Amino acid sequence: MDFILAKSEHLEEMCRITTEAKAQLRRLGLDQWQKGYPSREIWEEDIRNQTAWLAAENGKILGVFAFQTVPDPSYGEIDGAWLTDGAYASMHRVCVSDESKGRGVAGQMFAKGFSMARSLGFGSVRIDTHPGNLPMQRALKKAGFSPCGMITLKGGSEDGDARIAFEKIL
């Protein structure tokens, strides 16, 4: 599997995969990603900021994620405790195409995020998900993330929503 920095020509496929992920969450009865997030505009911003990454194989995009190195405003307060106190990288908007599910794509994307974070000198990676998103929680635990507590999202269309926060020490 190859990992490539997303470019504008990938945007349509990124949005298609995101739409599939939103539909899966809706089928699970969750309100996560049902209020307009993540949007095309957010992916465009990620592409401009060079924070959107693609998992690809033989030229086909299997999954997408955002990798960020700036503090996430939603992570400033936690009902619980982070594993570390210092600088961290974070992963957001992790989604795998429907046809690629069950192939370990998410795990490989997490491993790529860990590798990028290590190479930039970060000691940990943080992420969050909906309390009812059991498939993502299983994937996070399998990748070595530990649940740390609850956070409240700040900003955007999901402002005020509760999420379980996870961290992995590298």
Side-chain angles (χ1 to χ4, degrees):
M1 184 172 306
D2 299 313
F3 291 94
I4 55 176
L5 199 55
K7 296 187 169 76
S8 295
E9 62 259 27
H10 302 122
L11 185 60
E12 292 306 319
E13 185 67 4
M14 293 167 67
C15 290
R16 185 189 68 76
I17 291 169
T18 304
T19 298
E20 290 177 352
K22 289 178 178 186
Q24 178 188 7
L25 293 167
R26 192 169 36 257
R27 286 190 302 273
L28 291 172
L30 303 178
D31 63 354
Q32 182 179 12
W33 289 14
Q34 303 304 305
K35 303 174 187 174
Y37 171 91
S39 65
R40 175 184 198 87
E41 294 75 25
I42 288 172
W43 282 125
E44 287 172 337
E45 183 179 344
D46 286 339
I47 290 169
R48 277 192 306 277
N49 293 334
Q50 298 189 328
T51 57
W53 287 85
L54 310 173
E57 194 171 73
N58 300 322
K60 185 166 185 57
I61 299 171
L62 309 179
V64 299
F65 66 95
F67 177 81
Q68 298 175 330
T69 59
V70 296
D72 187 310
S74 299
Y75 294 172
E77 295 178 32
I78 185 169
D79 182 7
W82 293 109
L83 301 177
T84 64
D85 288 329
Y88 59 89
S90 60
M91 295 179 73
H92 296 284
R93 300 180 277 293
V94 176
C95 40
V96 176
S97 71
D98 283 352
E99 62 192 29
S100 301
K101 289 190 187 313
R103 296 183 44 205
V105 175
Q108 290 185 61
M109 291 193 302
F110 293 137
K112 176 63 175 177
F114 302 156
S115 173
M116 290 191 298
R118 260 190 229 97
S119 72
L120 294 169
F122 290 99
S124 73
V125 175
R126 294 180 182 177
I127 194 167
D128 62 86
T129 194
H130 191 284
N133 191 340
L134 301 181
M136 180 56 84
Q137 290 177 46
R138 283 191 293 273
L140 293 171
K141 289 175 184 172
K142 185 175 179 182
F145 282 98
S146 297
C148 296
M150 298 296 292
I151 59 148
T152 301
L153 297 178
K154 296 189 182 344
S157 62
E158 295 184 323
D159 185 63
D161 289 357
R163 296 290 183 260
I164 300 175
F166 290 81
E167 187 170 22
K168 176 176 170 75
I169 297 176
L170 303 175

